[in-house]
Each structure stands twice: as structure tokens, then as C-alpha cells.
Amino acid sequence: MASEARSKTFGPAVIIGLASATMVAVAGNQAWAKAAEGQGIGEEVASVSVAVGEAKAPLATALALVVLATWGVLLVTRGRFRRAISWACGLASLGLLAAVVAAILAAPDVVADAYEPYGVTEIDVSRTAWSWLALGGAMLALGAAVLAVRDIGRWPQMGRRYDAPGADEPRPEPGERSNLDLWKAMDEGRDPTDPSR
């Protein structure tokens, strides 16, 4: 019963993991803090500083893309490698949360510092909704990654149907070969009558 419950976490965890990492990747390219309007800043200074005075979080975007990549790998791998990738996903998600928290704390100072060259020292800066959206997304990404680490052994795996043919496939004995096996051997450039191949 417990394994059945854990296999039910597969769909929700994958959807939440992918959606939350995408949300943080998008939010990381938006302004996380802005100077409040109407503070007596000259029009020229305000227009020049708009581009510079918007705190963004490129590290959060980069880590969100790493989390997305690990989810993609989790979907197509098996075994020990898959478990290792689940741990990598967890570590990347933890780093993502740390980067988002650090960026949220630093965002107002980044904006205030951008106005200093224009002689504006006292300025009211507020965080935007993007920063809080990123924080929520990072927490969801970490939760989904924890589920992956905990339940990865019970989650469904991609079948071997799409694996490349390799040495691990048992070859039929010469007497057991069908006509189809003989044609396949010829297509692969092997001698179908040679028992060693």
C-alpha cells in the first residue's frame, strides 16, 4: 500500500517540479525591486535609472534551468543513475531556494545603489510580486525534489524499448535463429552463418 501511495507522487511531483522551476526561470528575468514613484527624483534621472535600478536575479534563472534539466533527465533514465540525478535535482533546488532568498534580501539595496551616482541617497524601494512568485516557486521546486529523492525507486521508469541495441541483449543460438534474425544480421553487416557472432 505504501509503494502504491509513493508511485502516486510521480505525476504531481513532476508537474510541480517542472512548473515551479519554469516559474522561477521566468521571474528571474523580471524586476524584483523598484523605486517608488513620486519621490522628487528628476525626470531625467528616473528615466535613466529605470534600466539600471531594477534588481533581477540571473543566478536564480540559471539554477532554475538546471532544475528543469534534472527533471528532464529523471524522466528518461533508470537505476542508480536516476537516483543520483534525483539527488542532483534536490541539491540544485536547495541552491535555487538559497539564491532566491539572497536575491530578495539584496534587491532593494541594488536598486538604491543604482540611484547613488545621480545624487539620490534617500529613496523608497519596494519589492515586486516577481520576487515573491520566485520564492513560492523555489519552495515548490524543493518540495518536488524531496519527493523525487524519497520516492524515485518506486516511480515508473521508461521502458527498454527505445534503448539502442547493445551487448546486453542475449543472442539466440544458431539453431534457434528465425529467418527474421538472419535478415537482421545481414542488415547489420554480420555473417548470419557464423556462430561466434
Side-chain angles (χ1 to χ4, degrees), residues 63-156:
L63 285 170
L65 293 175
V66 170
V67 171
L68 277 172
T70 57
W71 278 107
V73 174
L74 275 176
L75 291 174
V76 297
T77 54
R78 290 187 299 272
R80 289 182 185 165
F81 183 70
R82 190 180 198 201
R83 179 158 298 282
I85 293 297
S86 73
W87 279 98
C89 181
L91 290 174
S93 299
L94 188 61
L96 175 62
L97 181 59
V100 167
V101 169
I104 287 174
L105 294 175
D109 293 335
V110 170
V111 173
D113 291 348
Y115 281 91
E116 274 186 28
Y118 302 103
V120 180
T121 54
E122 296 293 324
I123 190 165
D124 185 25
V125 179
S126 61
R127 291 179 180 90
T128 66
W130 288 109
S131 61
W132 303 118
L133 191 68
L135 180 61
M139 291 190 317
L140 284 171
L142 182 58
V146 167
L147 281 176
V149 169
R150 188 190 74 177
D151 299 342
I152 196 75
R154 292 179 174 82
W155 282 0

